[in-house]
Amino acid sequence: MAGDISGKLTDSDSAGRTGTIGLLKTLNRDELLEVLSQGFCQHCEALLEERIHQLLNKRGSESTVTSDITLISNPVTGKQLARTPLPPPPAANSDILLNDGLGGSGSTSSDNGLSEEQKEHIRFSQVVRKKDFVHMEKINGKSMNVLKGLELHTKVFNAEEQKKIIECVYNLQRMGQKGQLRERTYSEPRKWMRGKGRVTIQFGCCYNYAVDKIGNPPGILREEEVDPLPPLFKQMIKRMVRWHVLPTMCVPNGCIVNIYNEGDCIPPHIDHHDFLRPFCTVSFLTQCNILFGSSLKIVSPGEFSGPVSIPLPVGSVLILNGNGADIAKHCVPAVPGKGISITFRRMDESKLPYNFLPDPELSRIKPFIVSPSSAPQGHHQKPVINSSFVKAIVQQNQHRNDQAIKDKSDQEATKTTKNDSFLCGNDDFPPLSKASKGASRR
């Protein structure tokens, strides 16, 4: 159960990295810079930059105040910079609303005259990120952490923002019941037994859960049309990408909303590989548990058993990637009360609906980088380092790439192949129930 979860690095994890880490430890700073700035493709360069930002932010968040002055090392020069610690924050920091379409506009009593950047700095620094899930299982005779790749982020959406999102979802449900959404967008099956018949609303693409009456297999139905992502959902995506919850190279372009009544569930499955990894699910209204394991058992209608149970607090974001998405199955046992979950995913480019149009709003989301000048006075914040080390790597890498192109200008340009590192296996979401059409829908 949850007691199997720990933050320790397993022997199998460390053994595979010893050679590379050992080599890196023998290099000095300049040699490391040279190694990290040679001939990366655009995808790898973006991944490298994001990982460096994550490490710098992590290092900053683990800094502790040891005296009246905090010393922070510049990662390039090695010199220490003095920073005076800030006083403790007021209790209402989590109530701060941002003018980003989620929390509304205008100021609140907890804003204290802060700028938008300062408010975002406070909210960003309060996000709690758990990434050390571990549960070892034997897979094909090999011991493996089947939860590797799972992350749980809390305090991404505060109470006021959650309320706004919930109201939006129930408004969409009413629209679906009145036939104001496309036919394949809204589904409200007949509840013919416990655990069957939760309401679903799909945006971006129509996903077929099981072989349908005309023989279509599970997966994205490319010829079907559903409604596009609602504006509020796009703001949620922007928030999660900007706050380093989701990576910039896998921005969701579709989602499915699950509306639960007491006793509703989601049976054991692995998400279809028509969708890239990572993907995420955001939970609202009622805390529920999600089970993980390579083998999950059906105990009774709506009830399942598995080796690991992870509580999902309201407003939390669960990231599924790696083994946690592709090796371990997951399920949600019968929920104790009304609930909502929104699963955001990015479609494989080769599986996009024929009439799908990319949303320009989601094409250039910039991750939030906290600079020392954005730290508001009167609020103690975890220091997040904005280092020129990243820029140095990117600039050197760009220079080398440009030089390579110039040297080979007389050669035929090679075609860039689509990165398919997220794709593996053919597992699909099992059938839940047959949808019954309610009111006539367009």
Side-chain angles (χ1 to χ4, degrees):
M1 299 300 289
D4 295 319
I5 299 173
S6 69
K8 296 181 179 179
L9 183 68
T10 63
D11 292 340
S12 60
D13 286 336
S14 59
R17 302 187 198 176
T18 302
T20 303
I21 292 177
L23 289 172
L24 290 174
K25 287 182 177 179
T26 65
L27 304 178
N28 60 34
R29 177 176 56 82
D30 293 334
E31 291 170 334
L32 280 172
L33 184 61
E34 181 177 355
V35 167
L36 294 175
S37 59
Q38 292 193 24
F40 291 113
C41 68
Q42 184 177 4
H43 171 81
C44 293
E45 182 179 314
L47 181 61
L48 175 63
E49 182 176 357
E50 181 164 354
R51 285 182 175 175
I52 293 172
H53 277 308
Q54 290 174 347
L55 288 172
L56 291 173
N57 287 344
K58 180 180 178 182
R59 181 172 66 186
S61 66
E62 292 175 349
S63 299
T64 55
V65 178
T66 56
S67 66
D68 290 338
I69 298 295
T70 302
L71 296 179
I72 300 176
S73 297
N74 184 304
V76 177
T77 64
K79 295 181 180 180
Q80 291 187 320
L81 306 175
R83 177 183 295 174
T84 304
L86 300 172
N93 271 354
S94 62
D95 297 331
I96 289 177
L97 300 178
L98 304 178
N99 189 19
D100 61 358
L102 281 170
S105 58
S107 60
T108 66
S109 59
S110 58
D111 289 356
N112 296 324
L114 301 173
S115 69
E116 195 67 21
E117 184 181 13
Q118 290 172 329
K119 289 189 292 182
E120 186 171 18
H121 183 164
I122 294 173
R123 289 288 305 279
F124 173 78
S125 69
Q126 292 176 334
V127 175
V128 179
R129 310 171 194 268
K130 178 175 175 58
K131 304 181 181 183
D132 56 354
F133 294 100
V134 175
H135 175 70
M136 306 304 296
E137 292 190 24
K138 286 281 188 180
I139 306 296
N140 296 327
K142 181 181 177 181
S143 183
M144 181 181 297
N145 176 17
V146 298
L147 301 185
K148 187 176 181 179
L150 291 187
E151 301 177 10
L152 185 63
H153 300 250
T154 56
K155 297 187 178 181
V156 179
F157 306 103
N158 66 18
E160 190 64 28
E161 293 161 348
Q162 292 177 44
K163 180 181 177 182
K164 187 173 182 178
I165 295 167
I166 292 167
E167 289 175 350
C168 175
V169 169
Y170 281 131
N171 183 56
L172 290 168
Q173 181 182 22
R174 288 189 291 270
M175 292 175 64
Q177 292 170 337
K178 294 176 181 178
Q180 296 173 347
L181 300 175
R182 294 180 185 270
E183 181 178 350
R184 300 305 292 263
T185 297
Y186 184 79
S187 175
E188 188 169 344
R190 178 177 59 87
K191 290 186 179 295
W192 56 278
M193 69 178 293
R194 186 174 189 269
K196 301 287 186 178
R198 74 183 187 279
V199 173
T200 60
I201 313 176
Q202 303 191 65
F203 296 102
C205 72
C206 176
Y207 177 72
N208 193 33
Y209 290 101
V211 177
D212 60 23
K213 60 184 178 182
I214 62 175
N216 289 317
I220 296 174
L221 298 179
R222 303 185 69 188
E223 69 282 357
E224 295 286 352
E225 292 188 30
V226 297
D227 290 276
L229 285 164
L232 188 65
F233 288 10
K234 289 190 287 186
Q235 298 303 325
M236 294 176 66
I237 292 172
K238 292 178 184 178
R239 168 78 62 84
M240 291 186 289
V241 174
R242 185 162 168 78
W243 288 8
H244 305 268
V245 177
L246 286 170
T248 55
M249 71 282 293
C250 198
V251 178
N253 52 14
C255 75
I256 180 168
V257 181
N258 294 292
I259 302 176
Y260 307 92
N261 284 315
E262 182 180 353
D264 287 343
C265 68
I266 296 182
H269 68 283
I270 289 177
D271 280 54
H272 201 285
H273 283 83
D274 280 1
F275 301 101
L276 302 181
R277 275 54 170 157
F279 56 93
C280 74
T281 184
V282 192
S283 303
F284 300 100
L285 280 180
T286 302
Q287 177 170 305
C288 62
N289 294 332
I290 185 169
L291 305 185
F292 281 91
S294 61
S295 178
L296 301 176
K297 298 179 179 179
I298 301 176
V299 177
S300 61
E303 298 298 336
F304 316 105
S305 65
V308 178
S309 178
I310 300 176
L312 299 178
V314 293
S316 66
V317 182
L318 180 69
I319 303 295
L320 291 91
N321 197 10
N323 295 345
D326 295 326
I327 302 298
K329 295 180 179 179
H330 59 275
C331 67
V332 177
V335 297
K338 289 182 177 295
I340 292 172
S341 68
I342 307 176
T343 298
F344 291 96
R345 300 180 286 202
R346 182 173 183 84
M347 294 173 269
D348 185 303
E349 294 291 325
S350 66
K351 302 295 183 179
L352 290 173
Y354 294 121
N355 293 326
F356 179 83
L357 295 175
D359 194 316
E361 284 189 55
L362 303 178
S363 63
R364 294 183 179 275
I365 307 174
K366 298 294 185 182
F368 181 65
I369 303 299
V370 181
S371 61
S373 61
S374 70
Q377 296 299 316
H379 296 270
H380 174 70
Q381 296 299 317
K382 298 174 181 178
V384 183
I385 303 171
N386 183 15
S387 172
S388 59
F389 180 61
V390 175
K391 294 180 181 178
I393 289 178
V394 173
Q395 289 171 353
Q396 286 199 19
N397 190 26
Q398 184 62 49
H399 174 72
R400 290 175 185 274
N401 287 340
D402 292 343
Q403 187 63 43
I405 293 173
K406 181 179 179 181
D407 293 342
K408 298 181 179 181
S409 59
D410 58 337
Q411 299 179 6
E412 181 181 0
T414 57
K415 295 182 179 180
T416 302
T417 57
K418 180 175 70 68
N419 183 282
D420 59 357
S421 61
F422 294 109
L423 309 179
C424 62
N426 296 307
D427 294 294
D428 57 78
F429 197 107
L432 299 179
S433 62
K434 294 181 179 179
S436 61
K437 297 181 182 179
S440 62
R441 312 180 185 102
R442 60 180 176 90

